[in-house]
Amino acid sequence: MIMVRRRARPAKETGGGSAAAAVASDGALSMDTAAAVAVAGGNHLLDDQYFASPKRKDCRLMKASENLKISSDVVALEEEANNKGVKPTKALTDRTIGVPLATRSQTRTIENFFKANAAAKCGITLNTHHPEPIKEQKTISTAELPLSDELGDEELERVVGDLLYDGHSTASSDSPSYQHENEHEEVMQDTFALRETSPVPVLMADFQTHRSGLRDSHSSSHSSSSSGGASATTDNIFLQEPVLTLDIDRTPTKASSIKINKSFELASAVFSSPPSVLNACRFNQIVTLNGGGQCEPQPVVVAQPQPQPQLQLQPHHNGFELDQHDSSSCDSGVACSLTISAESPAAGGGAGAAARRRKPATPHRILCPSPIKTLPRGDGGGLIVPGARKTSGIMMKGDLLSPRKSPRKLPTTTAAVAACKSRRRLNQPKPQAPYQPQQPQPPPGTQPTNEDVVVIDDDEDDDDQEEDEGEEDEDDVHALLKAAEELENLNKIPIANSNKSNNHVKAMLKPAPAKPRAALTKGGSKTKTGSKIQPGPLPLAATNGNREMTDFFPVRRSVRKTKTAVKEEWLRNLEQAVLEERSEGLQVRNFMGKGRGVVAVRHFKRNEFVVEYVGDLISISDATDRERRYALDENAGCYMYYFKHKNQQYCIDATVDTGKLGRLINHSRAGNLMTKVVVIKQRPHLVLLAKDDIAPGEELTYDYGDRSKESLLHHPWLAF
Amino acid sequence: MFEARLGQATILKKILDAIKDLLNEATFDCSDSGIQLQAMDNSHVSLVSLTLRSDGFDKFRCDRNLSMGMNLGSMAKILKCANNEDNVTMKAQDNADTVTIMFESANQEKVSDYEMKLMNLDQEHLGIPETDFSCVVRMPAMEFARICRDLSQFSESVVICCTKEGVKFSASGDVGTANIKLAQTGNVDKEEESVTIEMQEPVTLTFACRYLNAFTKATPLSTQVQLSMCADVPLVVEYAIKDLGHIRYYLAPKIEDNET
């Protein structure tokens, strides 16, 4: 349908529009001819259109017959126009209220014509009522008159169309101006609409005012007009460049675009595509949604600086693409935090990095840092300037290691002298790009300047602030939820009682919700000698004063639960466990050759929560940063847990010895635990679950998931 | 697969008539021991418990426990389509969301089947403890229905007072008061007409007539009704369904206002 419409429009506008023009300028006679022309055009278009859409083929015959009818209608119209010419005032007054049958039959023919040809309709209205600039313009046509005089032909058409539309009130998005080209049913509907509107002159004002709004909301359907206007005003900054997508997928500009998204509701990832009319329209829509005027200057800022960095980023893009296809979902390289101010750090880095990852078997994995870099891929990494290290998420796991580093032996197991210089920083989980898409509301007051678009910056205070904000948000949401829950609970009681009597309920709803509860318990504990609980609001008959079965018999919750209920419960349990940092039934033990490990001291059932992998939740860019630091320290161990959740790459860094047990669980390819991501307060948590029933005394292990050759080289135990 | 076949549709009809006034919808829990239904009415004042033992059916098969939530109105409509003498068979697949009810005329000449959509009802199931009742009264079901009907004209609540001598139903309202006393019948000639009282201690309880009247819709099922009462415990009105099971109604006592 839509396709067809688009195609048909230009032709129509030439045909119908010119017809309308002729009508406007000429008299009734020329109107007729113009109508005929338009009808002819319509026929042609109909053919075209129906041919184009295979679904319509079946209607073609019908349409053809209708066309015949139309032509006959034209004849009728001629006559009618003559009639009108004779007594136009009478017709007018007749039609204002009541619509006598006779005139209705007359108007009907007109309307038939309308439905057949909107352009011609305009002409008729003009012709019949032009000679009369009477003040009491009550019918549609007359009310239409001044407007149509002012507006151009095209506009006129649209106005008429919109009128049809308004009366119709269905949400069909067809542009009314060429409705005569559309299928039969719609036409019929429109005549109806018209007939409805014509006797109700009061509505007219509404229609007029609605018209603009309607056009806005339907701007996609009216794209011809709006886009036409858009192309005309090329000085409008929006329309110069299609700056639009809401696509927040893993394009390299992700982080920045998200930011922009938040502040303006429009993203900026489609520079490559040529400016198209469609995009412009879409843009228009968005602007109107945003409330127009205010936003207007903002996109300018965005739109201007964007294209430039985009060029620079292009090479990265390639690198990333490669990277993503090549590496698995949990690869650390899929970082997405790019900033506009990126200095284009070594395009080669990304490409080089792309080549190296291997798919691990598990969906998540702990990446084991390899202190020695044997592969000659550091070429790009070396070029990265410290200032730019955050600019891209190119996996720089070890890239920055200078080549002069001599190969080292495997790190021996010693206490974690690990924690490097900046412990403080490590302990601070930074709320950055990865988390922001999950926040319900954009941080207020962000401005589209480059500095602000930079998602990660070194200023810790700033980060803290942001974090606070985020947490506040979360808390707020939580509080709201809780409140809602409470409310629901409270409501339940009156509802339960509602069965007793309607009056009762009314009485219950008014006082504090605690009251009904009290009443209930009172009722339950009441003995025979008790008197009425509530003397006042219990006037209703049947159940009045009766106790409930539930006072006597306990509600037996079915032991059987539905699958979803079981799962929900399980998830709730997990959440609970994470929140209270449960780690019962576990014991740290030293293993020969392995160092510390964790042993179960009680029985764990399958799928049971065992322990959470506690650490700092950090972004990938941060992770790469840290990894580089850890790589310098041979005692750091493998505690960087990369995982992917909802298309977002995360890392939990547990390098710092916090005394939590999750980080101490050893690797085994045939482990008895598995990991699962649980989202609590919009933060993903990694929990370790029992893969099978675990007997007391068993060591807990799980698959770290790192299968890369290099890691194996440095951590041979990964093979087991 | 669940399949239950009853020789006479009329029993099922009566059962449904007995419960459909109180319950709009209910869950039939089918297991290999039979069909059970337990549901409270909307106001949670009364409770219906229906038990149909599997051995009472002509044929009963239930491979897996099955809960069939049914709209009882719809079910009653379907059963209206059956002749009283028809065989009735209920069938459902294990995970089906419909139940098929099939009626076969006695000579197999006419077979009609009706499929009804099942519902997923979230109903509370009550655990009913075993109770030693202070008083158990057995009386003709018709008599009980009559008493309830008569007394409901006077008041919306009826006081049942059970003593060694007999059981007294009384109601008092704007019109006046009504008392009906039934004494234990001495002769045991006609069991279905006898009134028997087993009493540990006397009991006086007040109940809403409306519900009692709803309970008496089960009267066609049985000749005798059994009222079990205990202080501060719901009244149990039980109708036995011959060879098949029983239907029990529980009614919470009214909060008494004697002292006000």
Side-chain angles (χ1 to χ4, degrees):
Chain A
M1 279 278 296
I2 294 163
M3 292 295 295
V4 168
R5 207 188 302 145
R6 259 190 219 134
R7 221 204 273 179
R9 181 186 304 121
K12 190 243 110 208
E13 253 161 48
T14 55
S18 66
V23 165
S25 54
D26 295 350
L29 282 177
S30 67
M31 179 275 295
D32 288 335
T33 54
V37 168
V39 167
N43 291 350
H44 192 70
L45 280 167
L46 277 172
D47 277 350
D48 246 349
Q49 171 182 341
Y50 283 94
F51 205 69
S53 70
K55 278 183 192 167
R56 290 268 153 251
K57 271 181 187 164
D58 49 349
C59 302
R60 270 184 92 192
L61 280 177
M62 246 176 67
K63 270 294 167 184
S65 62
E66 203 210 23
N67 290 337
L68 286 178
K69 232 188 283 167
I70 285 168
S71 51
S72 65
D73 278 349
V74 175
V75 177
L77 194 86
E78 246 173 28
E79 286 172 16
E80 209 222 337
N82 290 338
N83 287 345
K84 285 256 169 90
V86 175
K87 36 160 191 171
T89 38
K90 199 188 171 193
L92 230 182
T93 46
D94 274 350
R95 229 193 289 168
T96 47
I97 305 163
V99 192
L101 270 176
T103 40
R104 193 185 256 188
S105 66
Q106 269 188 346
T107 49
R108 195 179 194 181
T109 51
I110 290 184
E111 284 152 10
N112 280 340
F113 194 75
F114 281 0
K115 84 190 168 191
N117 190 325
K121 188 205 72 174
C122 297
I124 285 171
T125 56
L126 276 177
N127 288 325
T128 46
H129 304 296
H130 215 328
E132 310 216 351
I134 310 166
K135 276 301 155 194
E136 31 167 348
Q137 294 164 335
K138 282 182 182 172
T139 64
I140 297 184
S141 30
T142 46
E144 189 65 79
L145 194 59
L147 242 181
S148 49
D149 277 341
E150 286 164 21
L151 301 169
D153 305 322
E154 207 184 313
E155 197 64 326
L156 183 83
E157 273 177 46
R158 228 183 304 126
V159 167
V160 171
D162 282 338
L163 280 173
L164 277 170
Y165 225 51
D166 270 343
H168 203 340
S169 86
T170 58
S172 76
S173 62
D174 298 290
S175 174
S177 51
Y178 39 85
Q179 257 163 355
H180 61 287
E181 295 166 7
N182 286 331
E183 65 271 32
H184 198 66
E185 304 97 278
E186 232 166 75
V187 165
M188 287 311 290
Q189 283 174 342
D190 283 336
T191 44
F192 259 86
L194 191 79
R195 216 178 300 150
E196 271 171 23
T197 51
S198 55
V200 188
V202 195
L203 286 181
M204 279 310 301
D206 279 350
F207 288 168
Q208 309 278 352
T209 49
H210 268 148
R211 196 172 53 83
S212 55
L214 195 92
R215 203 182 315 147
D216 276 349
S217 65
H218 285 271
S219 75
S220 62
S221 62
H222 292 259
S223 56
S224 78
S225 50
S226 48
S227 69
S231 57
T233 60
T234 35
D235 52 338
N236 188 345
I237 246 145
F238 301 113
L239 311 168
Q240 288 175 346
E241 196 92 306
V243 217
L244 277 197
T245 22
L246 294 174
D247 176 17
I248 346 170
D249 214 350
R250 329 124 150 217
T251 44
T253 46
K254 183 182 195 177
S256 55
S257 64
I258 285 165
K259 270 286 188 187
I260 291 163
N261 231 342
K262 299 252 155 188
S263 36
F264 314 117
E265 304 277 4
L266 56 90
S268 61
V270 272
F271 300 107
S272 48
S273 73
S276 69
V277 179
L278 247 189
N279 275 346
C281 293
R282 237 154 105 214
F283 195 84
N284 266 355
Q285 261 178 329
I286 285 170
V287 167
T288 47
L289 279 177
N290 280 348
Q294 263 240 342
C295 303
E296 276 178 26
Q298 291 180 337
V300 184
V301 191
V302 189
Q304 301 293 32
Q306 286 289 75
Q308 220 189 343
Q310 200 262 338
L311 286 179
Q312 296 174 344
L313 294 176
Q314 197 55 46
H316 282 292
H317 195 311
N318 293 340
F320 274 109
E321 288 299 90
L322 263 176
D323 215 298
Q324 292 203 329
H325 294 312
D326 155 276
S327 64
S328 87
S329 59
C330 59
D331 211 315
S332 65
V334 202
C336 304
S337 45
L338 265 202
T339 60
I340 294 181
S341 57
E343 298 269 322
S344 100
R356 65 180 132 102
R357 280 298 142 86
R358 207 139 299 160
K359 262 184 195 165
T362 53
H364 321 296
R365 70 168 168 169
I366 288 189
L367 203 72
C368 300
S370 315
I372 325 146
K373 298 293 138 194
T374 43
L375 294 180
R377 69 178 121 83
D379 50 356
L383 293 178
I384 295 170
V385 240
R389 66 194 165 153
K390 304 211 174 216
T391 55
S392 68
I394 313 165
M395 32 163 94
M396 302 189 294
K397 186 176 97 177
D399 286 356
L400 267 199
L401 278 188
S402 51
R404 67 185 156 77
K405 274 230 154 84
S406 55
R408 297 187 193 186
K409 286 169 225 156
L410 288 175
T412 52
T413 54
T414 21
V417 195
C420 329
K421 309 93 210 174
S422 54
R423 162 83 32 110
R424 186 172 146 251
R425 282 213 56 190
L426 285 181
N427 288 340
Q428 238 145 20
K430 287 206 226 162
Q432 43 215 3
Y435 317 132
Q436 273 163 4
Q438 296 180 352
Q439 281 175 4
Q441 284 175 352
T446 41
Q447 292 213 332
T449 57
N450 278 354
E451 290 82 39
D452 278 335
V453 177
V454 172
V455 180
I456 311 153
D457 46 14
D458 285 339
D459 187 358
E460 288 207 351
D461 293 347
D462 205 347
D463 278 330
D464 287 347
Q465 227 176 1
E466 264 185 49
E467 188 178 23
D468 285 348
E469 266 176 33
E471 272 176 10
E472 257 176 43
D473 266 359
E474 285 164 11
D475 283 348
D476 279 354
V477 170
H478 224 68
L480 266 177
L481 279 176
K482 252 188 198 159
E485 227 169 80
E486 268 173 28
L487 217 125
E488 215 175 44
N489 283 342
L490 291 174
N491 277 344
K492 263 183 195 164
I493 298 151
I495 284 167
N497 282 341
S498 71
N499 307 315
K500 279 199 169 173
S501 73
N502 287 336
N503 287 358
H504 203 147
V505 174
K506 271 178 205 157
M508 293 268 196
L509 286 175
K510 272 176 198 168
K515 213 175 167 186
R517 195 181 294 229
L520 252 187
T521 49
K522 218 171 150 192
S525 61
K526 236 177 137 62
T527 55
K528 257 167 80 177
T529 54
S531 56
K532 271 193 181 172
I533 330 165
Q534 284 176 331
L538 281 174
L540 206 83
T543 61
N544 169 23
N546 223 327
R547 302 220 220 144
E548 296 193 0
M549 292 312 289
T550 38
D551 296 344
F552 300 97
F553 301 141
V555 174
R556 204 167 60 186
R557 298 281 167 216
S558 171
V559 191
R560 286 181 292 169
K561 285 177 230 153
T562 58
K563 233 184 221 169
T564 47
V566 169
K567 200 175 175 195
E568 259 168 38
E569 197 171 281
W570 179 69
L571 277 176
R572 222 178 302 127
N573 191 25
L574 278 188
E575 232 167 80
Q576 185 81 23
V578 170
L579 285 177
E580 56 192 43
E581 299 182 356
R582 208 183 287 166
S583 57
E584 307 145 359
L586 306 175
Q587 196 178 43
V588 181
R589 197 177 291 174
N590 265 304
F591 289 91
M592 284 294 287
K594 271 207 262 190
R596 284 182 293 175
V598 179
V599 167
V601 271
R602 71 169 173 96
H603 185 86
F604 283 98
K605 264 196 254 165
R606 190 162 172 259
N607 280 339
E608 197 182 335
F609 171 88
V610 177
V611 74
E612 188 198 344
Y613 190 86
V614 187
D616 303 341
L617 184 64
I618 53 176
S619 77
I620 293 308
S621 59
D622 214 7
T624 52
D625 191 24
R626 288 189 188 190
E627 227 175 71
R628 242 178 301 129
R629 217 170 321 135
Y630 296 149
L632 300 172
D633 183 352
E634 54 188 29
N635 293 323
C638 321
Y639 297 105
M640 302 287 277
Y641 198 124
Y642 290 93
F643 64 101
K644 196 169 183 177
H645 176 61
K646 292 205 172 140
N647 275 334
Q648 185 73 53
Q649 196 74 45
Y650 295 94
C651 176
I652 285 185
D653 177 15
T655 307
V656 183
D657 192 352
T658 49
K660 304 280 185 204
L661 297 180
R663 61 187 290 280
L664 296 179
I665 296 173
N666 286 321
H667 165 84
S668 163
R669 287 181 77 153
N672 48 16
L673 301 182
M674 58 186 177
T675 48
K676 181 178 167 57
V677 180
V678 179
V679 179
I680 298 168
K681 291 190 182 175
Q682 304 181 19
R683 274 177 83 96
H685 290 256
L686 271 183
V687 294
L688 295 167
L689 309 175
K691 205 195 253 175
D692 263 313
D693 288 5
I694 299 172
E698 245 180 273
E699 194 200 347
L700 300 174
T701 51
Y702 66 102
D703 192 346
Y704 282 12
D706 196 353
R707 299 274 189 273
S708 71
K709 213 179 242 170
E710 186 166 344
S711 300
L712 270 175
L713 197 67
H714 300 294
H715 306 281
W717 45 265
L718 280 171
F720 304 109
Chain B
M1 177 76 180
F2 163 76
E3 189 175 349
R5 182 187 159 101
L6 267 179
Q8 288 190 314
T10 173
I11 295 178
L12 204 55
K13 278 186 176 186
K14 285 176 186 166
I15 289 171
L16 226 66
D17 285 342
I19 59 176
K20 76 171 170 27
D21 281 6
L22 278 169
L23 311 172
N24 294 323
E25 51 227 8
T27 305
F28 288 78
D29 294 309
C30 308
S31 65
D32 59 352
S33 63
I35 300 175
Q36 281 195 310
L37 177 152
Q38 193 208 69
M40 281 183 283
D41 71 318
N42 277 333
S43 55
H44 289 204
V45 168
S46 66
L47 179 138
V48 180
S49 165
L50 169 74
T51 303
L52 304 173
R53 291 186 308 270
S54 58
D55 53 24
F57 289 88
D58 292 357
K59 182 185 176 192
F60 192 89
R61 175 185 166 195
C62 185
D63 301 339
R64 291 181 58 182
N65 286 359
L66 183 70
S67 288
M68 299 190 295
M70 291 187 198
N71 183 321
L72 296 180
S74 312
M75 177 80 167
K77 275 181 195 167
I78 289 175
L79 285 173
K80 266 192 194 130
C81 304
N83 289 320
N84 281 344
E85 304 307 314
D86 283 355
N87 277 322
V88 60
T89 309
M90 287 170 72
K91 274 192 280 195
Q93 297 300 318
D94 277 340
N95 281 319
D97 53 359
T98 57
V99 62
T100 305
I101 299 166
M102 189 167 75
F103 305 121
E104 294 161 287
S105 65
N107 46 14
Q108 301 283 322
E109 275 170 353
K110 178 181 167 192
V111 177
S112 45
D113 58 280
Y114 299 84
E115 196 171 81
M116 184 173 69
K117 285 184 190 124
L118 294 176
M119 299 188 292
N120 200 355
L121 299 174
D122 188 21
Q123 282 183 332
E124 288 170 326
H125 201 263
L126 299 186
I128 300 169
E130 286 288 316
T131 312
D132 282 330
F133 288 98
S134 318
C135 291
V136 177
V137 178
R138 280 189 201 84
M139 60 192 284
M142 289 291 282
E143 192 60 54
F144 180 63
R146 181 78 193 267
I147 289 167
C148 292
R149 198 191 65 202
D150 291 349
L151 292 187
S152 62
Q153 300 176 85
F154 291 87
S155 170
E156 61 196 24
S157 56
V158 60
V159 179
I160 302 177
C161 176
C162 189
T163 58
K164 212 180 284 177
E165 288 77 44
V167 57
K168 186 179 84 175
F169 302 85
S170 50
S172 68
D174 299 337
V175 183
T177 57
N179 289 294
I180 298 172
K181 269 188 238 168
L182 290 179
Q184 275 205 73
T185 46
N187 59 336
V188 229
D189 304 345
K190 292 181 178 170
E191 201 183 319
E192 60 267 19
E193 285 175 17
S194 64
V195 176
T196 56
I197 298 171
E198 297 166 17
M199 193 202 76
Q200 265 82 46
E201 54 184 90
V203 167
T204 305
L205 291 171
T206 311
F207 299 101
C209 273
R210 198 165 72 105
Y211 290 95
L212 292 177
N213 274 325
F215 298 166
T216 57
K217 294 285 190 297
T219 303
L221 283 169
S222 177
T223 53
Q224 283 258 312
V225 63
Q226 174 178 308
L227 313 178
S228 308
M229 286 170 287
C230 192
D232 214 26
V233 156
L235 160 81
V236 183
V237 180
E238 177 179 334
Y239 293 89
I241 305 168
K242 203 175 174 237
D243 298 330
L244 194 60
H246 56 79
I247 183 166
R248 279 186 189 145
Y249 299 95
Y250 294 80
L251 178 60
K254 292 195 92 164
I255 296 151
E256 299 188 18
D257 47 3
N258 298 338
E259 288 155 32
T260 55

